[in-house]
Amino acid sequence: MTKELYRITLLSLAVNLFLSLFKIFLGFWGRSQAVLADGIHSLSDLATDLLTLLGLKYASYPPDEDHPYGHRRIETLISVTIGLVLTVTALGLIGKAFVTFKHLKVLTPLKPFVLVAPILSIVSKELLYRITLKVGVKAHSPAVVANAYHHRSDVLSSFPALIGAGLSSISPHLAFCDPLGSLIVSFLILKSSWQIVRPGIEELCDGMDIEEARQIKREVLKVKGVKDVHRVRTRKHGGHTLVDLHIQVEPELTVREGHHISERVKDYLLTRYERVVDVVVHLEPYEHKSSPEAKSSPGHQEDVRADERPSGRPENRS
Ligand SMILES: [Zn+2]
Ligand SMILES: [Zn+2]
């Protein structure tokens, strides 16, 4: 699978290299602000492809002594970096469009040949979006899925460039359409960068997918020998899921039997959910709800949400 990810990113890199050079060249030659902005956007795409390649290279490294969970979070780090680079690029383009508005009188109508660049860009990026999304979803790779959505936003962002430059080529009175197109392109880049940054930040802040945790709890209750489940906690790790949970079993079982059940829970979750990559099971004797011991133990609430502690250091109750 990793080979496929490499190939899709290399393809993206080649397309972005060609498109950025072509659009920047035509934008300069045809003096179109919108086409130039579109080209600079492709140049930033090229940079993100290079970052993604580096991420794939290091994220697939197996766990080692000083990184026992593996290296998948490098991918998260790179997704966030890509998003931030895009944000800065978009802000730069917005500034540039406003500068151009101030010098509108100097502008002459655009030559229609500049329109070749956005048209070519729209067609090739739509194809790239479809191929990349397929690969990224299949591989559970947030960086590749992020790149796919990025290709789609490239498609959309080339439309204002096409329309803006197109209208500007019709008449000098419509010259303002070109920097206006550039401005719209920039806001679209801002939006796509937020889409890329958000899940990465969520992961770096240990955000839990509550629905996923509930689902895991329901599934674990189906495992033979499990009497009760609580304190299901999940964390994201490069788009994959790390799980730790407490299970309760018959108090009279031997250590070997109890351990066997906890191994079953782990194997069940690892095979049932492709995205779950690690499960830590804590074993406890099953106490009936009515017993005073269970009631007085605050670590054993039923609800997933109730297991989250509101503030301070997480307590390490049984
Ligand atoms: Zn074990
Ligand atoms: Zn417990």
Side-chain angles (χ1 to χ4, degrees), residues 8-118:
I8 196 76
T9 312
L10 277 177
L11 177 69
S12 165
L13 190 122
V15 171
N16 280 327
L17 180 65
F18 170 75
L19 284 179
S20 57
L21 291 179
F22 189 62
K23 285 192 276 193
I24 289 172
F25 174 72
L26 270 193
F28 261 120
W29 194 26
R31 293 211 188 93
S32 166
Q33 181 77 57
V35 172
L36 184 66
D38 207 21
I40 288 171
H41 183 193
S42 291
L43 202 63
S44 79
D45 296 345
L46 191 65
T48 61
D49 282 338
L50 287 172
L51 281 171
T52 306
L53 273 184
L54 286 174
L56 286 175
K57 185 172 158 63
Y58 290 106
S60 60
Y61 277 11
D64 53 28
E65 212 177 333
D66 50 349
H67 297 94
Y69 287 96
H71 299 77
R72 292 189 194 86
R73 276 244 168 101
I74 295 175
E75 234 185 305
T76 314
L77 184 66
I78 283 170
S79 296
V80 171
T81 311
I82 286 174
L84 293 180
V85 167
L86 268 176
T87 306
V88 173
T89 311
L91 292 176
L93 289 174
I94 288 170
K96 206 165 186 171
F98 278 113
V99 169
T100 314
F101 276 132
K102 276 177 75 181
H103 301 97
L104 264 188
K105 287 193 181 96
V106 192
L107 291 180
T108 46
L110 296 176
K111 302 264 188 303
F113 70 82
V114 292
L115 302 180
V116 175

Side-chain angles (χ1 to χ4, degrees), residues 10-284:
L10 277 177
L11 177 69
S12 165
L13 190 122
V15 171
N16 280 327
L17 180 65
F18 170 75
L19 284 179
S20 57
L21 291 179
F22 189 62
K23 285 192 276 193
I24 289 172
F25 174 72
L26 270 193
F28 261 120
W29 194 26
R31 293 211 188 93
S32 166
Q33 181 77 57
V35 172
L36 184 66
D38 207 21
I40 288 171
H41 183 193
S42 291
L43 202 63
S44 79
D45 296 345
L46 191 65
T48 61
D49 282 338
L50 287 172
L51 281 171
T52 306
L53 273 184
L54 286 174
L56 286 175
K57 185 172 158 63
Y58 290 106
S60 60
Y61 277 11
D64 53 28
E65 212 177 333
D66 50 349
H67 297 94
Y69 287 96
H71 299 77
R72 292 189 194 86
R73 276 244 168 101
I74 295 175
E75 234 185 305
T76 314
L77 184 66
I78 283 170
S79 296
V80 171
T81 311
I82 286 174
L84 293 180
V85 167
L86 268 176
T87 306
V88 173
T89 311
L91 292 176
L93 289 174
I94 288 170
K96 206 165 186 171
F98 278 113
V99 169
T100 314
F101 276 132
K102 276 177 75 181
H103 301 97
L104 264 188
K105 287 193 181 96
V106 192
L107 291 180
T108 46
L110 296 176
K111 302 264 188 303
F113 70 82
V114 292
L115 302 180
V116 175
I119 290 170
L120 194 68
S121 185
I122 286 166
V123 174
S124 53
K125 282 288 179 159
E126 178 63 25
L127 287 174
L128 205 54
Y129 161 72
R130 290 176 186 206
I131 300 168
T132 310
L133 187 67
K134 225 175 173 179
V135 173
V137 166
K138 211 170 145 194
H140 298 291
S141 168
V144 174
V145 170
N147 247 15
Y149 281 114
H150 191 148
H151 293 324
R152 180 38 87 69
S153 81
D154 292 346
V155 173
L156 295 177
S157 76
S158 284
F159 272 103
L162 178 65
I163 296 166
L167 289 174
S168 287
S169 69
I170 294 172
S171 139
H173 299 295
L174 292 171
F176 69 93
C177 290
D178 188 50
L180 187 65
S182 165
L183 203 61
I184 296 170
V185 169
S186 312
F187 280 110
L188 290 173
I189 301 173
L190 274 186
K191 193 179 157 244
S192 72
S193 53
W194 174 239
Q195 275 181 333
I196 292 168
V197 167
R198 208 185 69 105
I201 289 177
E202 187 69 14
E203 176 175 325
L204 293 177
C205 296
D206 278 343
M208 181 167 86
D209 182 343
I210 291 176
E211 193 36 55
E212 185 185 50
R214 287 215 174 101
Q215 210 177 19
I216 285 171
K217 184 176 177 176
R218 279 196 295 271
E219 291 293 331
V220 170
L221 279 169
K222 291 180 193 165
V223 176
K224 207 180 142 206
V226 175
K227 297 295 248 178
D228 207 357
V229 186
H230 62 272
R231 211 170 178 209
V232 178
R233 297 189 301 175
T234 67
R235 281 178 297 151
K236 289 291 166 194
H237 193 76
H240 293 68
T241 306
L242 306 177
V243 183
D244 60 88
L245 47 82
H246 295 193
I247 60 167
Q248 295 192 337
V249 299
E250 274 306 336
E252 311 309 326
L253 295 180
T254 62
V255 172
R256 182 181 287 119
E257 287 165 329
H259 176 248
H260 189 66
I261 293 171
S262 71
E263 287 294 298
R264 256 205 314 255
V265 168
K266 181 178 171 178
D267 291 342
Y268 182 71
L269 288 180
L270 288 179
T271 45
R272 180 90 170 68
Y273 297 97
E274 211 186 314
R275 61 180 180 277
V276 172
V277 287
D278 195 30
V279 182
V280 177
V281 182
H282 172 80
L283 200 63
E284 295 167 8

